């Protein structure tokens, strides 16, 4: 009987020592080191977008037709030393048209400029601060668009986003 009792007490003491030792070992692994950080600077970053030639008045779209090529000038302004940036362009339309309308945006001229990917333009690197990009946009209605869309409004919404990236 004494052996069992001493064995249980020894087991409890061993567990307590192990838990105390584990907590102590964890504290021994904590290390603090000062890092040499560079100079921190601040600046400001703003992006404006405006239609070149005024807000477009697009005509009705017929199956297989597209909107006239229209440009938006996107301008970044700011000061600081790390104001590289990228422009993103996205669009939504009336949900009834979602599967029958294609939206495209180019940096430069429609069809011959650089097609802007979902991740933004430029796809690698960045634009420099205080620059402008002309974005050409186009909507195309599918040639086989259903007649049920007749008389409905496309109601396009274009979102321009200026994203600061490394400079």
């Amino acid at each position: 009987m004494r052996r069992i009792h001493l064995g249980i007490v020894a087991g409890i003491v061993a567990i307590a020592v192990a838990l105390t030792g584990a907590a102590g070992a964890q504290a021994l692994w904590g290390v603090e080191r000062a890092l040499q950080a560079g100079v921190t600077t601040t600046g400001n970053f703003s992006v404006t977008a405006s239609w070149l030639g005024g807000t477009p008045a697009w005509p009705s779209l017929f199956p297989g037709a597209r909107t006239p090529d229209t440009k938006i000038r996107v301008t970044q302004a700011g000061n600081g030393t790390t104001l590289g940036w990228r422009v993103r362009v996205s669009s939504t339309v009336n949900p009834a048209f979602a599967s029958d309308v294609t939206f495209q945006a180019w940096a430069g001229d429609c069809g011959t400029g650089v097609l802007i990917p979902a991740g933004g333009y430029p796809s690698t690197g960045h634009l420099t601060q205080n620059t402008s990009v002309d974005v050409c946009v186009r909507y195309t209605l599918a040639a086989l668009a259903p007649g049920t869309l007749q008389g409905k409004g496309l109601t396009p919404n274009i979102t321009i986003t200026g994203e600061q990236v490394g400079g």
Side-chain angles (χ1 to χ4, degrees):
M1 187 74 142
R2 277 190 168 178
R3 280 188 168 169
I4 293 174
H5 186 10
L6 287 175
I8 291 173
V9 171
I12 292 172
V13 170
I15 291 171
V17 169
L19 291 176
T20 304
Q26 185 175 15
L28 292 175
W29 289 104
V31 176
E32 288 185 29
R33 293 194 181 169
L35 297 176
Q36 297 300 321
V39 175
T40 301
T41 60
T42 62
N44 61 46
F45 182 91
S46 65
V47 175
T48 57
S50 58
W51 293 104
L52 291 179
T55 305
W58 290 326
S60 298
L61 280 181
F62 296 97
R66 65 182 189 210
T67 59
D69 297 346
T70 310
K71 288 188 178 180
I72 303 167
R73 176 154 296 153
V74 182
T75 304
Q76 184 276 332
N79 60 31
T81 57
T82 58
L83 291 181
W85 68 291
R86 161 180 309 130
V87 64
R88 293 177 189 255
V89 182
S90 61
S91 175
T92 58
V93 295
N94 176 337
F97 286 86
S99 62
D100 295 294
V101 170
T102 302
F103 172 76
Q104 294 172 298
W106 290 266
D109 293 330
C110 282
T112 59
V114 176
L115 193 60
I116 298 176
Y121 170 82
S123 57
T124 59
H126 57 81
L127 300 165
T128 58
Q129 66 183 15
N130 299 313
T131 57
S132 294
V133 175
D134 287 344
V135 174
C136 189
V137 296
R138 179 191 293 167
Y139 292 91
T140 305
L141 182 60
L144 298 176
T148 56
L149 296 178
Q150 184 173 340
K152 293 184 180 178
L154 182 62
T155 58
N157 289 302
I158 298 171
T159 302
I160 305 285
T161 304
E163 174 186 31
Q164 183 179 354
V165 294

Coordinates of all heavy atoms in Angstrom, one line a residue, residues 5 16 32 34 38 44 54 65 70 77 82 104 107 109 115 124-125 129 142 151 158 161 164:
H5 N 1.0 4.5 -2.8 CA 0.8 5.9 -2.2 C 2.0 6.8 -2.6 O 1.9 7.9 -3.1 CB 0.6 5.8 -0.7 CG 0.3 7.2 -0.1 ND1 0.0 8.3 -0.8 CD2 0.2 7.5 1.2 CE1 -0.3 9.3 0.0 NE2 -0.1 8.8 1.2
A16 N 4.1 18.4 -11.5 CA 4.3 19.8 -11.0 C 5.6 20.3 -11.4 O 5.7 21.4 -11.9 CB 4.1 19.9 -9.5
E32 N 14.6 39.8 -27.0 CA 14.3 41.2 -27.6 C 15.6 41.7 -28.2 O 16.7 41.6 -27.6 CB 13.9 42.1 -26.4 CG 12.5 41.8 -25.9 CD 12.0 42.8 -24.9 OE1 12.5 43.9 -25.0 OE2 11.3 42.4 -24.0
A34 N 16.9 45.3 -30.6 CA 16.5 46.5 -31.2 C 16.8 46.4 -32.7 O 17.8 45.8 -33.1 CB 17.4 47.6 -30.6
G38 N 14.7 52.5 -40.8 CA 15.0 53.6 -41.6 C 14.2 54.8 -41.1 O 13.4 54.7 -40.2
N44 N 1.0 62.7 -48.6 CA -0.4 62.6 -48.9 C -0.6 62.0 -50.2 O 0.3 62.0 -51.1 CB -1.1 63.9 -48.7 CG -0.6 65.0 -49.7 OD1 -0.4 64.7 -50.9 ND2 -0.3 66.2 -49.2
G54 N -16.1 65.5 -71.1 CA -17.4 65.5 -70.4 C -18.0 64.1 -70.3 O -17.6 63.2 -70.9
A65 N -23.3 45.3 -80.8 CA -22.8 46.7 -80.8 C -22.0 47.0 -79.5 O -22.1 46.3 -78.5 CB -23.9 47.7 -81.0
T70 N -14.6 55.7 -74.8 CA -14.6 56.9 -74.0 C -13.5 56.8 -73.0 O -13.2 55.8 -72.4 CB -15.9 56.9 -73.2 OG1 -17.0 56.8 -74.2 CG2 -16.1 58.2 -72.5
A77 N -2.0 62.6 -57.2 CA -1.2 63.8 -56.7 C -0.8 63.5 -55.3 O -1.5 62.8 -54.5 CB -2.1 65.1 -56.8
T82 N 7.6 57.7 -51.2 CA 7.2 56.3 -51.5 C 5.8 56.3 -52.1 O 5.0 55.4 -51.7 CB 7.4 55.4 -50.3 OG1 6.5 55.9 -49.3 CG2 8.8 55.3 -49.8
Q104 N -14.5 46.3 -70.9 CA -13.0 46.3 -71.1 C -12.5 47.7 -70.8 O -13.2 48.7 -71.0 CB -12.6 45.9 -72.5 CG -13.0 44.5 -72.8 CD -12.8 44.2 -74.3 OE1 -13.4 44.8 -75.1 NE2 -11.9 43.3 -74.5
A107 N -5.3 51.1 -70.6 CA -4.5 52.3 -70.3 C -4.0 52.8 -71.7 O -3.3 52.0 -72.4 CB -3.3 51.9 -69.5
D109 N -5.3 54.0 -75.6 CA -6.5 53.9 -76.5 C -7.2 52.6 -76.4 O -6.5 51.5 -76.2 CB -6.0 54.2 -77.9 CG -5.5 55.6 -78.1 OD1 -6.0 56.5 -77.5 OD2 -4.6 55.8 -79.0
L115 N -4.4 46.5 -72.0 CA -5.6 46.0 -71.4 C -5.4 45.9 -69.9 O -4.4 45.3 -69.5 CB -6.1 44.6 -71.9 CG -7.4 44.2 -71.6 CD1 -8.5 45.1 -72.1 CD2 -7.7 42.8 -72.2
T124 N 3.0 45.0 -63.3 CA 4.2 44.8 -62.5 C 4.8 46.2 -62.3 O 4.6 47.1 -63.1 CB 5.3 43.9 -63.2 OG1 5.6 44.5 -64.5 CG2 4.8 42.5 -63.4
G125 N 5.5 46.4 -61.2 CA 6.0 47.8 -61.0 C 5.0 48.7 -60.5 O 3.9 48.3 -60.0
Q129 N 4.7 59.0 -58.7 CA 3.8 60.0 -58.1 C 3.6 61.2 -59.1 O 4.4 61.5 -59.9 CB 4.3 60.4 -56.8 CG 5.6 61.2 -56.8 CD 6.0 61.6 -55.4 OE1 5.6 61.0 -54.4 NE2 6.9 62.5 -55.2
A142 N -23.5 41.4 -76.3 CA -23.3 40.1 -77.1 C -24.3 40.1 -78.3 O -25.4 40.6 -78.2 CB -23.6 38.9 -76.2
G151 N -35.4 47.5 -74.2 CA -36.0 48.5 -73.4 C -35.5 48.7 -72.0 O -35.9 49.6 -71.2
I158 N -18.8 52.5 -63.2 CA -17.4 52.3 -63.3 C -16.7 52.7 -62.0 O -17.0 53.8 -61.5 CB -16.8 53.0 -64.5 CG1 -17.4 52.6 -65.8 CG2 -15.2 52.9 -64.5 CD1 -17.1 53.4 -67.0
T161 N -10.0 52.9 -58.9 CA -9.3 52.8 -57.6 C -7.8 53.1 -57.8 O -7.2 52.5 -58.6 CB -9.5 51.4 -56.9 OG1 -10.8 51.1 -56.8 CG2 -8.8 51.4 -55.6
Q164 N -1.9 52.7 -53.5 CA -0.5 53.0 -53.3 C 0.3 51.7 -53.2 O -0.1 50.8 -52.5 CB -0.3 53.8 -52.0 CG 1.1 54.2 -51.8 CD 1.3 55.0 -50.5 OE1 0.4 55.4 -49.9 NE2 2.5 55.3 -50.2

